[in-house]
Amino acid sequence: MEYTINKLAKISGVTARTLRYYDEIGLLKPLRVASTGYRIYGQHEVTTLQQILLYREQGFTLDEIKRLLFYSNMNLELAFVQHLQALRTERKRLDKIIETVQKSLNNMRGETIMQDTEKFEGLKKSLIEENEQKYGAEIRQKYGDAAIDQSNAKINGLTQAEYTESERLRCEYEELLVAALKTGNPASELAQKACDLHRQWLSIYYPAYSKQYHAGLAEMYVADERFKEHYEKLGSGCAEFLAAAIKIYVEAT
């Protein structure tokens, strides 16, 4: 049996947008493309998609899944060992968040007294570990160990006031970005104001900020599904819109 992209999306539970993205990155190519331009998938592709979803359920990244599926010399046992280590690291991160939330809850109930510094220390450590877990390899390769280590040190040393300010800036630039997206114009005053707030937010976490870094990060927002997914939650096409707006912003400043 053969399926159009919409039918495959319906039976598999993934979106047509995701299937198109898998095609773009070479993870799941259609059996053929019809004269109408529709992607057509056969039984082999359905089976491959099932494997992809199983690996995703286990927490593998798309790059890891691609290597598992297409590289015959891939050491499957080693891949699972490394993935298990990554999952254990993620569990430690979650344990720290749980501990912080539990302390906060105990504080609310009057069972213990939680110092102000304790309230965000766990969040800072969690942020560092999450960034390393999700994006560490890519950003270290792109920007170098020294820059990322410096950024992590900056995050770890944030005062409560700085952390609060960073969250304010993040919320404000995302709110403006949503409003700007509705205009459809990345060069608009709203979009450029959002980019300036985005720069201010980045500068808190990345002391070595530069226009080149800003532009490179914008490209990553589009190219990397993990970044793209975050911005797509704000609105369809948001990642591409922000990337276009940042390109205009860095060229103008």
Side-chain angles (χ1 to χ4, degrees), residues 192-204:
Q192 293 305 296
K193 176 62 176 176
C195 290
D196 189 61
L197 289 169
H198 186 261
R199 174 193 60 79
Q200 294 177 49
W201 173 73
L202 280 176
S203 297
I204 291 177

Side-chain angles (χ1 to χ4, degrees), residues 11-252:
I11 67 170
S12 65
V14 303
T15 65
R17 178 192 293 272
T18 296
L19 291 174
R20 284 191 289 270
Y21 180 72
Y22 287 174
D23 183 8
E24 290 171 11
I25 66 175
L27 183 60
L28 180 65
K29 291 287 186 182
L31 173 64
R32 57 189 172 85
V33 178
S35 58
T36 55
Y38 289 115
R39 295 171 172 85
I40 305 297
Y41 297 85
Q43 287 301 308
H44 174 72
E45 288 71 38
V46 172
T47 301
T48 301
L49 178 59
Q50 182 187 36
Q51 290 178 288
I52 291 170
L53 296 180
L54 284 172
Y55 282 133
R56 269 185 50 185
E57 184 66 24
Q58 295 175 61
F60 283 96
T61 68
L62 294 183
D63 283 340
E64 288 171 334
I65 294 172
K66 185 184 288 188
R67 290 196 293 271
L68 288 169
L69 290 176
F70 302 120
Y71 293 93
S72 58
N73 62 344
M74 180 74 176
N75 186 322
L76 192 60
E77 181 180 354
L78 177 60
F80 272 77
V81 168
Q82 291 174 337
H83 184 59
L84 182 59
Q85 291 173 341
L87 288 174
R88 284 172 174 160
T89 300
E90 175 67 5
R91 183 170 64 183
K92 286 182 180 179
R93 185 185 72 82
L94 290 173
D95 284 343
K96 288 177 182 177
I97 294 178
I98 291 171
E99 182 183 358
T100 300
V101 173
Q102 185 62 62
K103 285 182 177 179
S104 298
L105 188 58
N106 293 344
N107 183 68
M108 292 177 194
R109 292 169 173 171
E111 297 171 1
T112 60
I113 297 176
M114 189 179 188
Q115 299 299 320
D116 287 342
T117 53
E118 290 183 272
K119 294 177 182 179
F120 70 101
E121 281 301 321
L123 295 176
K124 291 193 299 183
K125 291 178 181 177
S126 173
L127 178 60
I128 292 171
E129 291 177 4
E130 182 179 12
N131 286 341
E132 287 286 358
Q133 178 69 22
K134 286 186 176 180
Y135 318 115
E138 292 90 341
I139 59 178
R140 285 183 178 278
Q141 182 177 8
K142 191 174 183 68
Y143 301 108
D145 288 337
I148 303 306
D149 288 343
Q150 184 181 11
S151 172
N152 287 344
K154 174 65 176 176
I155 294 173
N156 197 45
L158 286 178
T159 64
Q160 185 174 356
E162 288 173 325
Y163 183 82
T164 301
E165 174 65 5
S166 74
E167 286 299 287
R168 183 193 69 79
L169 287 168
R170 180 184 62 78
C171 291
E172 191 173 345
Y173 93 71
E174 288 187 351
E175 183 179 339
L176 275 179
L177 182 58
V178 170
L181 181 61
K182 293 177 182 177
T183 72
N185 181 10
S188 68
E189 183 178 350
L190 273 177
Q192 293 305 296
K193 176 62 176 176
C195 290
D196 189 61
L197 289 169
H198 186 261
R199 174 193 60 79
Q200 294 177 49
W201 173 73
L202 280 176
S203 297
I204 291 177
Y205 293 104
Y206 303 98
Y209 170 87
S210 67
K211 290 193 291 185
Q212 292 76 16
Y213 173 80
H214 203 174
L217 197 61
E219 293 175 3
M220 195 179 293
Y221 286 164
V222 176
D224 191 304
E225 188 185 29
R226 293 162 297 180
F227 284 104
K228 190 173 183 179
E229 182 181 12
H230 170 77
Y231 286 101
E232 287 301 296
K233 290 177 182 176
L234 298 179
S236 179
C238 189
E240 289 88 349
F241 182 85
L242 177 58
I246 289 174
K247 183 178 180 182
I248 295 169
Y249 177 82
V250 298
E251 289 176 352

